[in-house]
Amino acid sequence: MNRRTIRHSLLFAPLLALAACADEEVGDDTAELETATTDGEAAAMAAAVAPIDFADLSLGPKIVGPQGPEVKTTLSNDAGVLADITSYVACPAGMEECDPATAPDGTIYTYVHIVYPGEDMDPTTGAGDGTDDVDVEAATAFFMNAPAHGFMGHAGFSKAEAIAAAGEDLEVVVTCDDQGALAWTVNPGDGGNQWEDAEPLTFFWQSTLPPAGPSAAYEIRANDVTASGQGPYPAADDGAINMCTHIRSGTIPDTMPEKANTVALAS
């Protein structure tokens, strides 16, 4: 299995605060994710998810919902639109169609979110290309405000897009908060180069559960404020594992899906 390790660092106590409460500021201190020297660093390391490069996934067909195979909308607040977002859910490669009603047991669903700070510059989607978007100078996080139901431990982002947005030194850190939600924190590149207007960045996470429909479960932190919007989201299932709980506690359950490490990763 080709599973590339992406270089990353960790914003320790401030990062955890961001994942749990989006309207708190994120600190600037970073350190390599190697050895914890404080209780805060240890807690942050326990919350970290080793990211996978989106380019290493081997995905199959997308679920076709009422809005088609993709959901294109915005992340906004009272001040306006802070981002356009395109989301979809894909089944593993090799399946002829992605229909949860007929998908075999053990199917892993990949939730993909392409986030454009400001807007995607496409007049037919999201905020379009009008003046209703906010000029985003720095986007610092994309995150969920609800538990990642069925999360089976795999999440990541597009390394190529991160480099295109802000250079080789841009760092994206994936963590679980104490409510079982995922957060992708984006740290500036060399010279303070930021993830900003119209620079797409793809994030993904994988679940044992299919989407139950759109939910306002996704948010962006940009220009030091938070905006939210809808995307595909699974319903709660008491029988499904949320690996965030086990990642934070340092325990791996014996009931992980047998196909979890192979169905969606390129071989």
Side-chain angles (χ1 to χ4, degrees), residues 25-191:
E25 290 189 1
V26 182
D28 293 326
D29 294 334
T30 62
E32 291 301 320
L33 184 61
E34 293 178 354
T35 304
T37 59
T38 68
D39 290 344
E41 292 177 1
M45 287 176 65
V49 177
I52 297 169
D53 191 347
F54 184 69
D56 285 344
L57 296 187
S58 180
L59 299 180
K62 302 172 183 177
I63 292 177
V64 179
Q67 300 181 46
E70 297 181 343
V71 177
K72 298 186 177 186
T73 185
T74 62
L75 303 175
S76 62
N77 59 20
D78 291 342
V81 174
L82 265 71
D84 279 359
I85 179 172
T86 295
S87 300
Y88 62 87
V89 180
C91 284
M95 294 180 63
E96 293 185 0
E97 65 175 352
C98 191
D99 182 352
T102 59
D105 291 342
T107 297
I108 301 299
Y109 299 92
T110 301
Y111 289 71
V112 180
H113 310 282
I114 308 166
V115 181
Y116 302 77
E119 62 178 55
D120 62 10
M121 308 310 291
D122 183 345
T124 67
T125 65
D129 61 354
T131 59
D132 55 351
D133 67 300
V134 175
D135 182 20
V136 174
E137 297 180 354
T140 54
F142 173 69
F143 54 97
M144 303 172 67
N145 59 27
H149 301 308
F151 174 53
M152 42 68 67
H154 288 163
F157 62 97
S158 170
K159 183 179 181 181
E161 290 176 351
I163 292 172
E168 292 277 356
D169 290 329
L170 186 73
E171 297 169 329
V172 180
V173 181
V174 188
T175 55
C176 291
D177 74 10
D178 57 4
Q179 300 301 312
L182 288 162
W184 292 258
T185 300
V186 182
N187 303 324
D190 186 35

